[in-house]
Amino acid sequence: LIPDGMAGRSVPQLPCRIRLCDLGGCCDENHSRSAIVSTRHYRSPEVILGLGWMFSTDMWSIGCIVYELATGRLLYDTHENLEHLHMMEKTLGRLPTDWAPRVRDDCRALFNANGTPRPLSEAKSLARVSRARPVREIVGDDLLRDLIVGCLCYDRARRLNARQVSTHPYVLKYFPESLQAANLIGKDILYPGT
C-alpha cells in the first residue's frame, strides 16, 4: 500500500475518497511471514525487525498513508532500519523493550542490552530524527488523530483492523454509508465505543 498515484499532485483536502488499486505486492496468509514486505516509508516495526507479519501490517501502512494525506508529508522519510526505529519512537513513543530478544538475528545489533534502540551516530540520521514530531502534536483533528494512532499501534492485537477502521467515528462522520457494507453484520466487529 503506497499512494504512488499522488506523486507530484497536491494533497487532497480531507475528508476525501480514495481508491485502493494496484495490489501487485499482495500475498495470502500462507506466504512467508519473515519476508520484507511493504515500501520502506510504510513498513511496520514487525516487518523491519523480522517479528512476522499478517494483515495488521497493512493497517500500519494505512495509518502512514492517512497521515501523509492529512499532512502532505511522509511520516517516515527514511531508508535505514535504525533511523526508522528512532523515528517511530519520536512520533509514537517508546518501542516495547520485550521485542529486542525476539527480533531476527540480523536485527539484534539495532538494540542495546536493555532492549532500547542503539543510539544513532550519523549526522544526517540525527537531523532527520530531530525533525520528526509526535503524531499527537501534528494531527489536530481528534477523530483523525485517533484513527491514525489506532492504525499505528505497536501492539498488533490492539491495532485497528479493517472493519474497525471502516466503523471508526472519523469514517462514520464523513462516510456513514460505510456501515451498509455487507461484511459489517454484528456489533462485535464495530470500532470500540460505537
Side-chain angles (χ1 to χ4, degrees):
L1 295 174
I2 60 171
D4 267 346
M6 290 181 45
R9 297 183 188 174
S10 61
V11 177
Q13 183 69 28
L14 290 184
C16 67
R17 292 184 185 276
I18 60 171
R19 183 173 292 147
L20 295 179
C21 59
D22 189 16
L23 302 174
C26 287
C27 52
D28 64 24
E29 62 272 8
N30 297 319
H31 190 74
S32 169
R33 289 186 182 67
S34 62
I36 297 294
V37 294
S38 69
T39 301
R40 161 66 72 184
H41 306 301
Y42 312 104
R43 195 170 289 161
S44 67
E46 61 266 20
V47 172
I48 293 169
L49 299 173
L51 295 171
W53 54 269
M54 251 328 250
F55 305 111
S56 58
T57 293
D58 288 334
M59 300 316 299
W60 178 278
S61 297
I62 286 173
C64 293
I65 290 167
V66 172
Y67 177 91
E68 186 175 345
L69 289 169
T71 65
R73 295 189 312 258
L74 288 169
L75 181 56
Y76 301 116
D77 191 7
T78 180
H79 293 282
E80 197 274 322
N81 285 342
L82 184 59
E83 183 179 290
H84 203 153
L85 296 176
H86 278 277
M87 285 181 167
M88 287 177 181
E89 286 202 328
K90 188 89 182 267
T91 58
L92 299 169
R94 290 276 178 207
L95 292 167
T97 55
D98 66 331
W99 281 359
R102 298 183 297 133
V103 301
R104 195 176 54 231
D105 287 343
D106 63 319
C107 295
R108 294 197 191 283
L110 298 172
F111 292 93
N112 290 319
N114 64 1
T116 60
R118 186 172 46 79
L120 292 168
S121 57
E122 293 186 27
K124 287 183 180 180
S125 289
L126 289 165
R128 278 191 287 272
V129 171
S130 73
R131 288 190 298 269
R133 295 287 172 260
V135 171
R136 294 182 189 280
E137 290 178 13
I138 299 297
V139 180
D141 182 295
D142 292 340
L143 290 176
L144 180 58
R145 182 176 51 246
D146 184 70
L147 173 66
I148 293 169
V149 170
C151 289
L152 298 176
C153 183
Y154 290 140
D155 182 347
R156 293 176 277 185
R158 292 182 46 230
R159 192 176 297 161
L160 294 181
N161 62 43
R163 286 188 175 121
Q164 290 170 324
V165 167
S166 68
T167 60
H168 187 277
Y170 179 83
V171 174
L172 293 178
K173 179 178 178 179
Y174 297 104
F175 308 105
E177 68 275 13
S178 67
L179 278 178
Q180 296 171 5
N183 63 351
L184 294 178
I185 299 168
K187 185 75 172 163
D188 60 316
I189 53 130
L190 296 178
Y191 179 77
T194 58

